[in-house]
Structure formats: C-alpha cells, structure tokens
Amino acid sequence: MVTFLFYVFAAVAVGGAIGVVISRSPVGSLLSMIATLGSMAAIFVLLEAHFLAAIQIIVYAGAIMVLFLFVIMLLNLGHDYQKDLKVGAFSLVSFATVGAMAYVLSRQLGAADLSDSGPGAAAIDAAIAQHGVVGAIAQPLYTTYVVPFEITGILLLVAIVGALVLAKKNVA
Amino acid sequence: MITEALVLSAFLFVIGTLGVLVRRNAIIMFLCIELQLNAVNLSFVAFSRLHGMDGQIFVFFVMTVAAAEAAVGLAIIISIFRHYKTVDVGNFKLLRW
Amino acid sequence: MYASLAAVLFQVGEAASAGGQEAAESGAHFEPFLPGLIVLLPLLGFVLNGVLALRHATRSAEAVRAGGELDLDEGGRPLTHTLPSLIGPGVLLLAFVITSVNFARMLGAHLEEPVVVTYWTWMATGTFSVDAALQLDQLSMVMMMIVTGVGFLIHVFSVGYMKDDPGYPRYFAYLNLFIFFMLVLVMGASYPLMFVGWEGVGLCSYLLIGFWFSDREKSDAGKKAFIVNRIGDLGFLVAMFYLFTTFGTLDFVPIFAGAEEAFAYGGALVTTITLFFFLGAAGKSAQMPLYVWLPDAMAGPTPVSALIHAATMVTAGVYLVARSSVLFALAPVASATVAGVGVLTALFAATIALKQNDIKKVLAYSTVSQLGYMFVGVGVGAYSAGIFHLMTHAFFKALLFLGAGAVIHSMHVAYHSTHSHEDGQDMRNMGGLRKHMPITCATMWIATLAIAGIWPFAGFFSKDEIIWQTAAFGGAANAPYPALYTVFWLIALAAAMLTAFYMTRMMVMTFHGENRTGDQEEKALHEAPAVMWAPLAVLAVLAVVGGWVNVSEHLRDSILGLGPLTSGWLHEWLHPITEQAQLIQDLNLGVLAESAPIVGGGEVVWAVLSGAAAIAVVLVSFRYVGGQKIVPAAEDVEPIGFAKVLYNKWYVDELYDRIIVQPILALSRFCWNVIDVGIIDGIVNGVGFAARGVGFVVSMFQTGTLNTYAFILTVGVLIILGVSIF
C-alpha cells in the first residue's frame, strides 16, 4: 500500500515538474509546481517526516508559491504567451548535459546498496514516541542546532529588509 | 523505499536543471531552482531514514533559506521588471563583455 | 694639544708596564692587557667621527641651500671640523699605548704558545663554529705595533695635510675604521675573523681611494681596487673552504697543530690550499698579475697612500703567508710560486718605476716592487725576514709617502696661489725644492737611502737578508729547484739596483737642480708645518734604526755590524711562530747553503758587494739624472722606444683591457641584447600577450545571458562529479 501510494505521488511529482518546465504560461508553471510540492509533502509523510510535510504545505505551497503568484499577477505576466523556450543548438547541448547528469546520478544510485531502513528510522521512531511529531524535530533544533537556528532568524530579517529596499519604488 | 525516493529526487533535480537551462522567463527559472531545492530536500529526508533526525533539520534550514531567497529574488525581479518592462533574461546583458 | 692627554696615558702605560715586569719576574706568563680595547678604540673613533661627519654634511648642505658655504677658514671653523683632529689621532695614540703595554709584557714573558682571548661565539652552525677571539702572539704583536704606531704618525700628519678639506671629519672616520679592520685582520684568531678584517680594509681602501668621489677618475680608481681585490678574495675563501673540510675548524691554533698530520709534504691538497691563499695575498698585496689596482689607488689622499697602500693593508698578504707559514712550508711548489711571483713583481714594477713622472706613481710602483721582495722572503722560508722587511718598509715607505704628501701639499698651495692648473704631483714641475723644504728633503733622503739598501739604513739589512736567504735556500742540500732559485736571486739583485736608481731619480727630480715650478709659484713654496714634519722626523729615525733589530750573526761579527747597537732580536722574537715551519723545512730540505750559487761567496761578502753596488748606483744616477735636462710637464715630449713602453707601464692595463675587460663587456652586451632583450623580455612579453589572448577567448563565455552561466555551472558540476566518480 505504501509503495503503491509512493509511486502514485511520485508520478504526480514528476508530471508536475515536467509541467513546470514546459508550460508556456507562468501561472501554469506555478500550478504544476504546487502539484509537485503537494505530492512531495505526501511522500514526506510516507517517509515519516510528518512535521516537514506540514511545513512543505504551509510554507512552500502556501506562502512561497502565493508570493510567486502575487508577483506574476503584479507584473501582469502570462498574457503574452510568447515562446521563451531556448531552442536550437543550445537546447540540444542542454539536453545532452542534463542527460549526462542523469547518467551520472543513475550510475551512482545503481552502484549504491541501500537498505530500506537503517538505524536512522529506528531513532526517528523512538524520538517521535518520546517527544511527539513536533517535539522530535524541535528537540535537536533548540539544543544542538540552536545557533544556526538563531542565525536563520537573522537571515530572514535581512531578507525582509532587503526585499523591501529592492522592491520599493524609487520616490526620487 | 529509500532508493525509490532517491531516484525520484534525481529525476526532479534533472528536470529542474533542464528548466533553468532552457527557460528564459526569470520567474520560471526561479521556480525551477525551487524545484531543484525540493529535490535535494527529498534526498535529505530519504537519507534521514538511514542517519537520523539531522537530515530533517537540514531540510528545515533549506526551507528557511528558500523562503528568504524567494523574497529577495522576487524583489529583484520586480525591480528589474520596472526597469526593462520584461522578465526575459535574454534582455539582461549588462554583464556581457 | 696632546700634552695633557699624553701625560695621562704615559702614567697608565707606566703602571701597566710595571705590571708587565711583575709578570715577567713571576715567570714566563703573559697576561694580556685590555686587548679588546685596542680594537674597540679605533671603532669608537670611527663612530664619533662618523657622527661628526654626518652632522658636518648636514650643516654644509644647509649652508649651501642658504646660498653660501660652510666657513672653514682658520678661526671660524665649526666644532665638527676641529674635533676629529683630537679624536682621530687620539684613539690611535691610546691604542698604541695599550699595544705597547702588551708588547712590554710579552717581552718579559717567554711566550711559547699564542694567547687566544675569546669573547663570544660569533657564529655556530652545525659542526662549524667561529669565536670572536683575538690571538696575541709575537707575530700579531709586531703587526699591531706597526699598525697602531705608524698609523698614529700618519693620523697626526693627516691633521696638517687634510685640515682644509671639506670632508675632514669623514676622512678621519674612514681612517679610524680602517685601523679597526686592520687590527681585526692581524689580531683575529681564526681565518674567518681575519677575513672580516681583510674585507673591511678593502672596503676602507675603496672608500679612501674614492675619497674625492666627485672626480670620476678617482671614484673609478676606488672601484678598480675593490674589484681586483675581489678576485683575490675568492682565492682566500676557497682556501678557507678547503681548510674547513680538512680540519673541521678554521681557528689558527688547531689547524697549525694538526697540519703536519693532515697533509703530506708537498701534497696536492696543501699545495692547492696555499696557492689559493696566495691568490688572495696577491690581490691584497698587489702582486702580479693583480697589482694593477695599486698605482691607480694613488688617487686617494697621500696620507692614505702612506697608511693603506704602503705601510699596512697591502702587507696583509705577507702577513697571511707568514701566519700560514706551516702550510706554506709543507707546500714547496706553492712556496716557489710565491717567491717567483714576488721576484718577478719586484723586477717588473721596478722597471715601470724608472720612467714614471708622477711622484706618487713612482712610490706606488716602488711599493709593489718592495712587496715583491717580502713575498720572496716568505716564499723561500725566511718568514722572519719577510716580516722584517714588512716592518722596515712600513717605516721608510710611509716616510716617503708622507714626504711626497708634504711636497704635493706645498706644490698645491703654490699653484693655488696663481690659480694655475699645472699638475702638482708631476716631478717634472718640481726640482730644487731642497732649499724650500729642507726637513722634508733630509728625511726623504734618509728613506731613499734606506729603500736603496745603503748601509746602515733599515732597508739594507732587511732587503739583504731576503736576497741572501734566496741564495741560501736555492743552495740547500735538497732544494727542489736550485737553478730556479739562482735565477730568483739574480733578479732580486738586479731589482735592488733598479730600486736604487729610480729612487735617486725621484729625489733628484724633486729636490735638486733648477726649480721648474714657475717664477710666481716658487715664492709660495714652503716647508710643511710642524704637525706634518714631526711624524716625518720620527719615521726618519725609525728608517735608520729599524733595521738594527734583526741583523744576522755573520753580519754582526763582520765590519757591517754596529756592535751593541744591532741584534738578532726580531728573528728570535718570531721564533715561536716560525719554529714549526723551520723544522719542516730543515727536515725536508736539509742544511741551507753557506755560500752563494755560481760564484760562491758568503753572506757577508754579498752584503758588502750589494751595499757597495747600491752606493755606486745612487752616486752614478745622482750624477746622471742631475746632468739631464728636465723640462716642465707642459713642455715635455712623449718618450720613444723602450722608454715609451716603460712610461706606459708595459701596456699592462691595455692588455687587461683587451683580454679581460673587453670580452666581459662584449659578453655583457650579448647578455643584454640577446639574452635579456631577446629571450627574457620575449618570454615576459609573450606571457603578457598569451594572457591577453586567453583572456579574449575566455571572455567569449561572458555572454551576459543567465542560461549560459547556468549551463557552465552545470558543466562544472558534472566535471567535478565525473572526476570524483570515474
């Protein structure tokens, strides 16, 4: 059942990803992206990363994608439908490169001998049993990774200020 | 299922790369970058099955950075659009020799 | 000015010599008295005078900027100009007094082993270690007495000679520095320390030759001296390296103690070492083929010529050979080379001196010639004779140079009074100076008789001993090349006659006959002031009695002896130094000959003969030159024939120019035009062009399009991945 669900969501995710690349309209791309993100959230659940699945939906699909959507609508893009795919030699070379990358990755994955679950899964299960789904991730976040966590806060603050300065209309 | 997840991650990453290479719309390029980030996230989650909670913590940080990046990146796109009236990166050639 | 200073010093000296006597009474124990101070005092003088010189230069520059110049007239002289007169000779006098105290103490003690005073470890790397140590023994003591004593007299002379020179404090700073390095040279207890002094005196020589550096010719002469000396210094260094690989140390005491064990008699290694040492000595002591710098060195102030280029520095090579007497005694081939080069130089320089008209050039070639004699002495194993001639030569040649300095001073003032641009050093412009400068004339005649080898002046005894030893050495039972030494002996005799001739010629041209200076100028000719003639008088006394300290037994018993006045003191005094070399020589050569080669005759006979011949040559040449018509330089014609060859110094400078200087210049031009401009610049420019070309090609990738950048990024990632995987 889990495997079946995984393949279903995987198919949706890949389809969405292809949609992102080939859709002419930015809005189409965006919607395909949301489909991909949603199915990835489902796969996160299957991989027992429940908290991340929730965040994926709330932050990515919810906040970030809506931000993109706002920008697209603000700039009034998507009406021109003009062809912006690069064609010709460059795209051929791009495909070749990407093919090479796929080859490298598949070769690596084929060579790798990965069992279905390792010690990590047991540890995660134990943490969830002890602290609950949120607590399991919050525990290391506020102890071991507290300094990067705080720095992330500063990064977000800087990003806010930066975005404001950049996007503000030049009054002068 | 870890292997499958990694294969899926590879697929998504490759598609995202392709998108960055072949699209000229800045916003869609940006979306493709987000796609690549997500592919990597998936790898992290899959690996956390092997090595523990740290992978998921990393995904958390990636998402935060992605959010910040999206905010700044979109702000840049807006200011570029104000200037060029387009988001086609083929027109931004100031860095050309 | 020095009276009170001298009184204080005298007391100190007396107290110290009293201590020395005590030491003598208590037994054969030598206690060095402040040996470090002897070296440090001239250094102190250099520092003080150097500070004054800098201050002086600053003030002169200020005065010139203000539109005038520093007032150097009598009375208004600044302190920077008057203080060096006290400091310069003062430190020397102090050093001389301390040296004398040490000398007195050593006289009292029967020193068999050298006393080495170690101060600190100068450098220690791996197995190599050199101490800053001074060696006090009979040889270094003689040298110290000469350097500080003659040095002091020349400093005093300089006070008079240089007093109007704007560079006066600088002059004394250099002179003090020279004495410092010279003392390091003779007192150092190891070859490296000696080398420090060796290089240091070379530096001071360069600085003082080019003292009037604004004159291109003079600064060039300084450079020539420095560069030619470098060739010799290379030999010194190579010899030191060889010695180090053999002994693992460069201190004198262990090397000489172990030399007989380490080297076979006449072995290749010791011959190589001594030949390289001799190369160094030939450079420093102006022997063939490296003598060319010394005549040019006459560009310096005349007291400098007296001090550096006659009395002290140029004798350093002789000192080196005498110091290394053990090594040279083990290397008969090298010793024969030393003697051969010495005798050839003696003859060669003497022939050039015959036709020189510049009074200092005559003396310069005479110095080269006399140095040749010293090398003959140390080359035939008569080390004490070589040092003896070094000492007497220091007296009479310093006297001659200082006398020439007094003459030049007077001539300069004379020509200055009429603003004439005639050459004040050209003897053709002199003549008849005797009545204007009686003291100078008298003292210089004493020196001339001494150098000519007239009995009983100093040069007679020292030169005669060398010539005799050459003959005796060649006639030794197992002498290596008896015929060769016979030739050396004959040449030495001939050169001695030439010496008598050219010195008499110089004296006659300068002091006798009609005056050729000019009618107006003649009125300005004058005797040198007391500060200048007093050192002349002292040196004149030494030039007479200096030879009496080392008269061989045979001569003392003959009619040439002066009874109790003469002694064989120096020979016995240096005995501990030369003993080892003497033993080696006796062992391998056997007994020296008692009679001269070919014609026979003992030492006394030949001494009487050569003395009589010298007198004859002096008298004859006095008449001959006096009878010649000499015209002033401006009216003189170029000599012709063989005289022209001698006048032009055998064209040696021209020859060196052809075979060494011009090829080097050509090579340098080749290096410049082909290697530097062509190859090196070509490479550098090529790199530049290549960088620009590559940059142009690579800039094609800068399309400004984001997709391209992303593509390149991806390719980069792929490459890294591929490298790490495959």
Side-chain angles (χ1 to χ4, degrees):
Chain A
M1 181 65 188
V2 170
T3 314
F4 172 72
L5 281 175
F6 176 83
Y7 280 116
V8 171
F9 287 121
V12 174
V14 172
I18 292 171
V20 170
V21 176
I22 63 168
S23 165
R24 277 191 171 184
S25 129
V27 179
S29 282
L30 199 69
L31 291 177
S32 308
M33 183 74 185
I34 289 172
T36 307
L37 292 175
S39 50
M40 287 214 13
I43 292 170
F44 283 177
V45 172
L46 295 178
L47 289 169
E48 292 186 55
H50 307 289
F51 179 74
L52 288 181
I55 299 247
Q56 178 88 346
I57 298 294
I58 295 167
V59 175
Y60 248 124
I64 300 180
M65 289 304 124
V66 169
L67 189 59
F68 271 86
L69 193 60
F70 274 175
V71 171
I72 290 166
M73 287 157 70
L74 181 70
L75 303 183
N76 204 13
L77 301 172
H79 289 299
D80 41 4
Y81 288 104
Q82 87 188 50
K83 203 171 133 204
D84 69 350
L85 264 181
K86 286 183 81 100
V87 287
F90 182 81
S91 76
L92 281 180
V93 173
S94 298
F95 271 105
T97 313
V98 170
M101 186 179 269
Y103 168 71
V104 167
L105 288 175
S106 65
R107 195 188 139 94
Q108 277 302 91
L109 285 171
D113 178 27
L114 296 169
S115 55
D116 258 11
S117 77
I124 292 172
D125 288 345
I128 290 174
Q130 196 185 348
H131 300 292
V133 168
V134 179
I137 201 166
Q139 171 68 25
L141 198 56
Y142 284 96
T143 53
T144 317
Y145 295 102
V146 67
V147 175
F149 181 67
E150 297 296 337
I151 291 173
T152 316
I154 295 170
L155 174 73
L156 285 173
L157 180 66
V158 172
I160 291 167
V161 174
L164 273 174
V165 170
L166 280 169
K168 200 178 66 172
K169 260 204 169 107
N170 271 346
V171 185
Chain B
M1 202 163 64
I2 295 170
T3 315
E4 290 87 340
L6 289 175
V7 171
L8 173 62
S9 159
F11 259 106
L12 293 177
F13 188 84
V14 168
I15 292 166
T17 310
L18 187 64
V20 173
L21 293 185
V22 298
R23 294 300 295 252
R24 282 186 295 194
N25 188 320
I27 289 190
I28 292 175
M29 284 174 77
F30 213 159
L31 274 175
C32 291
I33 292 170
E34 297 288 343
L35 194 56
Q36 286 176 304
L37 281 172
N38 264 286
V40 174
N41 280 355
L42 183 55
S43 294
F44 274 124
V45 173
F47 281 126
S48 82
R49 303 291 295 167
L50 288 179
H51 302 295
M53 194 54 103
D54 292 347
Q56 296 197 12
I57 302 281
F58 219 94
V59 171
F60 178 84
F61 285 124
V62 172
M63 280 184 186
T64 335
V65 173
E69 181 208 334
V72 176
L74 288 171
I76 291 173
I77 288 174
I78 286 171
S79 72
I80 284 178
F81 183 81
R82 284 213 190 103
H83 194 263
Y84 290 100
K85 301 294 173 208
T86 176
V87 290
D88 189 330
V89 293
N91 295 326
F92 314 148
K93 288 193 172 169
L94 264 183
L95 278 178
R96 193 187 172 82
W97 52 277
Chain C
M1 182 156 56
Y2 300 105
S4 57
L5 192 64
V8 173
L9 290 172
F10 185 69
Q11 281 166 4
V12 172
E14 225 171 20
S17 42
Q21 275 159 14
E22 273 168 28
E25 282 156 16
S26 67
H29 185 65
F30 169 67
E31 193 63 44
F33 175 67
L34 303 174
L37 206 56
I38 301 172
V39 179
L40 284 182
L41 274 168
L43 186 64
L44 176 75
F46 162 67
V47 172
L48 292 177
N49 283 328
V51 169
L52 288 175
L54 289 177
R55 180 88 200 97
H56 190 74
T58 320
R59 285 178 54 175
S60 299
E62 278 167 7
V64 169
R65 225 173 291 134
E69 59 180 31
L70 204 57
D71 179 24
L72 292 179
D73 289 337
E74 206 86 48
R77 287 205 167 117
L79 211 55
T80 51
H81 203 90
T82 51
L83 271 182
S85 315
L86 272 175
I87 299 169
V91 290
L92 256 281
L93 183 62
L94 261 174
F96 178 63
V97 168
I98 299 174
T99 309
S100 306
V101 172
N102 278 300
F103 184 61
R105 286 190 182 185
M106 202 184 271
L107 272 178
H110 293 285
L111 194 63
E112 287 300 326
E113 295 293 319
V115 172
V116 176
V117 186
T118 305
Y119 292 95
W120 69 89
T121 302
W122 173 29
M123 51 179 166
T125 48
T127 56
F128 178 63
S129 169
V130 183
D131 289 336
L134 301 179
Q135 176 158 344
L136 289 153
D137 56 18
Q138 290 83 354
L139 178 57
S140 65
M141 197 51 84
V142 169
M143 294 300 289
M144 283 155 66
M145 287 298 285
I146 295 170
V147 170
T148 54
V150 177
F152 168 67
L153 292 174
I154 291 169
H155 274 65
V156 172
F157 182 89
S158 300
V159 170
Y161 189 82
M162 297 293 288
K163 67 178 190 295
D164 296 320
D165 196 281
Y168 188 67
R170 182 164 59 91
Y171 172 81
F172 268 110
Y174 289 167
L175 222 52
N176 281 163
L177 184 67
F178 167 77
I179 296 286
F180 164 71
F181 279 124
M182 193 66 207
L183 286 171
V184 171
L185 195 164
V186 298
M187 292 174 77
S190 59
Y191 282 110
L193 208 57
M194 185 178 176
F195 192 65
V196 170
W198 188 273
E199 292 295 302
V201 292
L203 167 72
C204 293
S205 166
Y206 158 77
L207 289 172
L208 283 163
I209 294 168
F211 180 75
W212 291 302
F213 51 81
S214 53
D215 185 335
R216 178 64 188 263
E217 206 175 301
K218 287 173 176 165
S219 73
D220 279 353
K223 276 185 259 176
K224 183 173 178 181
F226 208 66
I227 292 165
V228 175
N229 265 299
R230 271 295 79 61
I231 301 170
D233 295 344
L234 179 73
F236 195 125
L237 276 173
V238 173
M240 275 207 291
F241 298 154
Y242 270 122
L243 274 183
F244 179 68
T245 52
T246 312
F247 291 99
T249 179
L250 286 173
D251 293 341
F252 291 141
V253 178
I255 286 182
F256 300 145
E260 277 176 276
E261 268 180 46
F263 300 122
Y265 179 77
L269 181 59
V270 71
T271 306
T272 313
I273 290 174
T274 44
L275 280 177
F276 272 117
F277 266 137
F278 179 59
L279 178 62
K284 188 61 73 185
S285 293
Q287 294 300 290
M288 283 169 78
L290 299 177
Y291 73 91
V292 286
W293 65 270
L294 186 58
D296 285 21
M298 296 301 123
T302 309
V304 169
S305 308
L307 178 62
I308 301 184
H309 307 119
T312 54
M313 184 190 85
V314 289
T315 62
V318 182
Y319 169 77
L320 171 65
V321 178
R323 176 56 86 196
S324 316
S325 58
V326 178
L327 304 179
F328 278 89
L330 284 168
V333 175
S335 285
T337 312
V338 172
V341 170
V343 78
L344 282 180
T345 310
L347 179 70
F348 189 76
T351 57
I352 297 176
L354 295 176
K355 279 291 163 195
Q356 296 306 305
N357 288 322
D358 186 317
I359 185 167
K360 287 184 73 180
K361 282 281 160 67
V362 175
L363 292 175
Y365 282 105
S366 161
T367 305
V368 174
S369 175
Q370 297 301 312
L371 287 165
Y373 273 110
M374 295 176 211
F375 276 107
V376 175
V378 293
V380 298
Y383 299 103
S384 62
I387 295 296
F388 180 39
H389 195 54
L390 187 161
M391 184 184 86
T392 56
H393 177 257
F395 297 149
F396 58 67
K397 189 51 67 62
L399 172 51
L400 283 169
F401 264 116
L402 293 187
V407 169
I408 293 164
H409 191 69
S410 183
M411 293 287 290
H412 182 73
V413 170
Y415 279 131
H416 195 69
S417 66
T418 59
H419 305 287
S420 167
H421 291 292
E422 287 294 330
D423 187 354
Q425 295 189 19
D426 198 315
M427 295 189 296
R428 286 171 296 186
N429 293 337
M430 298 175 185
L433 293 183
R434 183 177 38 140
K435 53 181 181 290
H436 303 287
M437 313 180 72
I439 303 174
T440 309
C441 175
T443 53
M444 277 183 82
W445 261 115
I446 291 174
T448 302
L449 296 179
I451 195 175
I454 307 292
W455 185 84
F457 296 96
F460 171 76
F461 295 105
S462 59
K463 197 191 286 182
D464 199 66
E465 190 181 349
I466 289 175
I467 295 173
W468 173 250
Q469 290 284 347
T470 312
F473 187 84
N478 301 318
Y481 324 100
L484 193 62
Y485 284 97
T486 307
V487 175
F488 289 174
W489 175 64
L490 292 172
I491 297 178
L493 278 174
M497 298 306 116
L498 290 179
T499 309
F501 174 76
Y502 68 71
M503 287 311 296
T504 311
R505 171 178 173 267
M506 184 198 90
M507 290 305 289
V508 172
M509 283 180 83
T510 307
F511 288 106
H512 298 273
E514 288 297 305
N515 182 275
R516 300 178 293 273
T517 313
D519 297 335
Q520 287 295 316
E521 288 86 351
E522 194 182 346
K523 291 171 196 150
L525 290 171
H526 60 282
E527 178 58 274
V531 71
M532 282 162 77
W533 67 251
L536 294 184
V538 176
L539 284 168
V541 173
L542 289 171
V544 179
V545 305
W548 300 350
V549 297
N550 191 33
V551 182
S552 74
E553 223 170 307
H554 290 122
L555 289 186
R556 258 182 288 153
D557 294 339
S558 71
I559 49 162
L560 296 176
L562 286 166
L565 284 176
T566 53
S567 68
W569 170 79
L570 186 71
H571 189 75
E572 288 154 29
W573 170 255
L574 289 174
H575 185 66
I577 305 291
T578 58
E579 188 180 15
Q580 203 184 344
Q582 210 66 52
L583 285 175
I584 297 168
Q585 194 177 309
D586 290 349
L587 196 68
N588 292 289
L589 295 182
V591 189
L592 295 186
E594 284 290 326
S595 62
I598 313 172
V599 286
E603 182 178 2
V604 178
V605 176
W606 280 100
V608 172
L609 274 179
S610 69
I615 292 173
V617 170
V618 168
L619 288 176
V620 168
S621 51
F622 190 89
R623 292 291 299 275
Y624 168 71
V625 181
Q628 270 185 332
K629 174 99 184 90
I630 304 169
V631 291
E635 301 156 27
D636 205 5
V637 289
E638 282 276 304
I640 49 166
F642 188 58
K644 186 178 176 185
V645 176
L646 293 183
Y647 180 76
N648 287 311
K649 307 148 197 168
W650 291 95
Y651 296 102
V652 168
D653 277 327
E654 286 76 5
L655 182 72
Y656 283 5
D657 187 64
R658 283 284 160 73
I659 64 172
I660 296 171
V661 178
Q662 292 303 337
I664 287 178
L665 279 179
L667 182 69
S668 305
R669 284 203 192 92
F670 173 77
C671 289
W672 163 38
N673 283 327
V674 179
I675 296 183
D676 193 53
V677 174
I679 298 175
I680 296 178
D681 285 7
I683 290 172
V684 172
N685 290 340
V687 167
F689 281 122
R692 276 168 65 178
V694 170
F696 182 74
V697 172
V698 173
S699 71
M700 299 292 191
F701 291 102
Q702 299 282 344
T703 57
T705 322
L706 267 180
N707 302 90
T708 322
Y709 294 145
F711 173 73
I712 293 167
L713 193 78
T714 313
V715 171
V717 169
L718 265 177
I719 289 170
I720 292 171
L721 270 179
V723 166
S724 64
I725 288 169
F726 299 111

